[in-house]
């Protein structure tokens, strides 16, 4: 296998950490001899456990391979700091790896070129892909939430919607189960699972009483739950306080605009963490919420809310991506996706950029970016160690 094929294999492996490694980035690593023979591979495990490089080194050693003179193909710059685990660059040097091929540098200020520098100082040859290389961009896109948190100090916000073809998300009486089919609902749970947090509003909690966990077989971590609740109307008996269906602990974070102390105490007694972030008009300051979530190491936020909160998020420019499931049906009247506005000019519209359209069962999954919101990915941290 050539260098590009081996790095592509590492990127494929990194997808195995999609719902596993949060808040750490999703990284893959392949170890190979000079002739391209693979001797070890792995991807990042749960936070506090082995990173991709250590997993690959461990597999190679377990299979009796001599690591001296080998090449490591890594999708993200090896870490150089003591976080939850020791530095991966040190592990590569200690193993006798002679060359490291890296898809992209790490945007974390604690790394940001230091890993490459330390490898070079130890005599390891380091080859970094140019920023425009498809594999470099692929690694950044896989870690779009991590890059967002590091470079924008806010998570990547993905708004999920299930609607009829004419854009209706619920009947006039509130009925919405089920507009889309079972396959789409199953697919939606996988998108929940990859996020660090699922966000909803108090209206959805009061009307639907959802649990909002990720029901994916084999899942080992649950996304945290965020509720935007201006007056702390969330009932203490709400299902969101129940243990998730699949294994994994999760925090419940309630953001409000100021509430009676007895309400705060009652919800905290149920295990909720309450935070007052008041904005204009007695509402929660949404921008402040996402800044706070970044401080809590949240990379991706998966929003499943009602039309009013959807509209507020879009109107205030807090949405980065839309994940829309369209059912092959027409419902006529009912709740729309996000009734913001009215707009006075087409220039005020939320401009989108199509990403993918894919049939999911009988429904259609559409993903679209808010135009320009991924611009930070085109300017990754530079190789200052060269």
């Amino acid at each position: 296998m050539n260098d590009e094929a081996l790095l592509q294999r590492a990127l494929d492996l990194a997808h195995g950490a999609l719902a596993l490694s949060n808040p750490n980035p999703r990284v893959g690593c392949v170890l190979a001899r000079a002739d391209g023979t693979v001797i070890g591979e792995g991807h990042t495990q749960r936070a506090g456990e082995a990173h991709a490089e250590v997993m690959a080194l461990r597999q190679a050693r377990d299979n009796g391979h001599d690591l001296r003179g080998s090449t490591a193909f890594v999708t993200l710059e090896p870490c150089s700091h003591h976080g939850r685990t020791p530095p991966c660059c040190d592990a590569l040097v200690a193993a006798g790896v002679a060359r490291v091929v890296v898809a992209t540098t790490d945007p974390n200020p604690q790394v940001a070129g230091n890993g490459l520098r330390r490898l070079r100082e130890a005599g390891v040859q380091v080859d970094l892909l140019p920023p425009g290389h498809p594999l470099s961009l692929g690694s950044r896109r896989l870690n779009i939430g991590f890059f967002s948190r590091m470079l924008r100090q806010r998570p990547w916000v993905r708004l999920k919607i299930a609607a009829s073809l004419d854009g209706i998300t619920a009947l006039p009486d509130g009925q919405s189960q089920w507009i889309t089919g079972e396959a789409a609902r199953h697919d939606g749970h996988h998108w929940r699972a990859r996020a660090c947090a699922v966000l909803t509003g108090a209206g959805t909690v009061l009307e639907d009483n959802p649990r909002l966990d990720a029901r994916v077989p084999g899942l080992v971590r649950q996304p945290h739950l965020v509720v935007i609740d201006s007056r702390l109307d969330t009932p203490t008996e709400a299902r969101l306080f129940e243990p998730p269906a699949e294994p994994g602990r999760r925090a419940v974070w309630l953001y409000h605009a100021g509430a009676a102390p007895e309400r705060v105490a009652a919800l905290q007694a149920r295990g909720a963490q309450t935070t007052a972030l008041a904005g204009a008009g007695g509402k929660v300051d949404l921008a402040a919420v996402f800044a706070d979530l970044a401080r809590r190491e949240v990379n991706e936020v998966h929003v499943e809310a009602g039309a009013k909160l959807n509209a507020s998020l879009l109107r205030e420019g807090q949405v980065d991506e839309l994940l829309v499931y369209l059912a092959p049906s027409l419902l006529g009247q009912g709740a729309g996706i996000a009734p913001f506005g009215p707009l006075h000019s087409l220039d005020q519209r939320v401009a989108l950029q199509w990403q993918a359209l894919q049939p999911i069962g009988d429904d259609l999954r559409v993903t679209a970016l808010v135009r320009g919101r991924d611009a930070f990915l085109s300017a990754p941290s530079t190789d200052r160690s060269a």
Side-chain angles (χ1 to χ4, degrees):
M1 298 175 71
N2 61 28
D3 285 3
E4 189 158 309
L6 288 164
L7 199 53
Q8 178 63 63
R9 172 59 183 164
L11 185 57
D12 293 342
L13 287 167
H15 283 80
L18 193 65
L20 179 65
S21 66
N22 289 329
N24 291 336
R26 300 133 181 174
V27 183
C29 177
V30 171
L31 289 168
R33 295 196 184 101
D35 63 0
T37 302
V38 174
I39 59 175
E41 57 184 29
H43 61 69
T44 306
Q45 301 299 298
R46 287 186 290 182
E49 298 181 4
H51 289 190
E53 297 92 330
V54 172
M55 293 296 293
L57 291 169
R58 186 180 298 167
Q59 186 186 83
R61 290 192 180 104
D62 288 347
N63 291 330
H65 294 294
D66 185 354
L67 293 163
R68 290 172 298 178
S70 62
T71 297
F73 297 84
V74 191
T75 59
L76 188 70
E77 175 184 2
C79 63
S80 57
H81 66 297
H82 282 269
R84 296 179 176 91
T85 58
C88 290
C89 60
D90 292 354
L92 293 169
V93 171
V97 171
R99 177 174 174 243
V100 178
V101 180
V102 180
T104 187
T105 48
D106 192 325
N108 186 343
Q110 293 180 293
V111 184
N114 290 324
L116 304 185
R117 175 182 55 78
R118 286 175 58 170
L119 288 168
R120 288 183 173 124
E121 288 175 349
V124 177
Q125 178 185 340
V126 176
D127 296 322
L128 176 67
L129 293 186
H133 193 286
L135 292 175
S136 178
L137 183 58
S139 176
R140 281 175 268 144
R141 286 204 174 279
L142 180 62
N143 290 294
I144 196 165
F146 181 75
F147 273 74
S148 177
R149 176 163 66 90
M150 292 298 166
L151 298 177
R152 302 193 302 169
Q153 290 74 56
R154 54 162 282 146
W156 183 259
V157 179
R158 182 178 293 114
L159 177 59
K160 181 258 184 181
I161 297 160
S164 61
L165 188 59
D166 53 348
I168 301 301
T169 60
L171 297 179
D173 64 1
Q175 291 184 58
S176 61
Q177 295 182 339
W178 297 103
I179 291 176
T180 54
E182 183 177 352
R185 297 195 296 276
H186 178 74
D187 188 69
H189 278 278
H190 284 272
W191 284 87
R192 280 185 192 174
R194 67 171 283 169
C196 287
V198 174
L199 183 148
T200 194
T204 297
V205 173
L206 292 169
E207 292 171 16
D208 299 337
N209 195 21
R211 191 161 52 193
L212 286 177
D213 54 350
R215 294 186 284 280
V216 176
L219 191 67
V220 298
R221 53 156 294 279
Q222 281 287 332
H224 302 305
L225 182 59
V226 179
V227 182
I228 306 300
D229 186 354
S230 298
R231 298 184 301 271
L232 283 187
D233 291 328
T234 297
T236 55
E237 66 275 12
R239 294 182 68 217
L240 58 87
F241 293 115
E242 297 176 2
E246 295 292 334
R249 298 172 58 190
R250 67 172 178 178
V252 178
W253 297 322
L254 302 184
Y255 289 93
H256 62 100
E262 56 269 22
R263 286 298 302 157
V264 172
L267 289 164
Q268 288 178 346
R270 288 289 282 135
Q273 299 178 40
T274 61
T275 303
L277 291 175
K283 302 294 184 180
V284 173
D285 185 334
L286 296 175
V289 167
F290 293 119
D292 189 63
L293 290 176
R295 288 190 288 270
R296 297 178 190 254
E297 295 188 303
V298 170
N299 295 334
E300 292 182 17
V301 175
H302 177 92
V303 179
E304 293 194 33
K308 289 183 179 179
L309 182 53
N310 288 350
S312 295
L313 291 166
L314 286 164
R315 183 172 53 249
E316 297 183 26
Q318 300 302 319
V319 176
D320 299 306
E321 182 179 5
L322 273 71
L323 169 67
V324 184
Y325 295 92
L326 290 175
S329 60
L330 302 173
L331 297 179
Q333 298 183 14
I337 290 173
F340 63 91
L343 306 182
H344 304 294
S345 166
L346 287 177
D347 293 338
Q348 297 175 306
R349 62 189 167 185
V350 178
L352 303 176
Q353 180 179 347
W354 299 122
Q355 292 297 292
L357 289 85
Q358 181 177 342
I360 304 292
D362 292 331
D363 304 308
L364 180 66
R365 185 184 71 199
V366 181
T367 52
L369 300 184
V370 174
R371 189 170 294 276
R373 297 306 285 271
D374 63 340
F376 64 93
L377 288 183
S378 64
S381 52
T382 57
D383 181 7
R384 294 187 293 271
S385 67

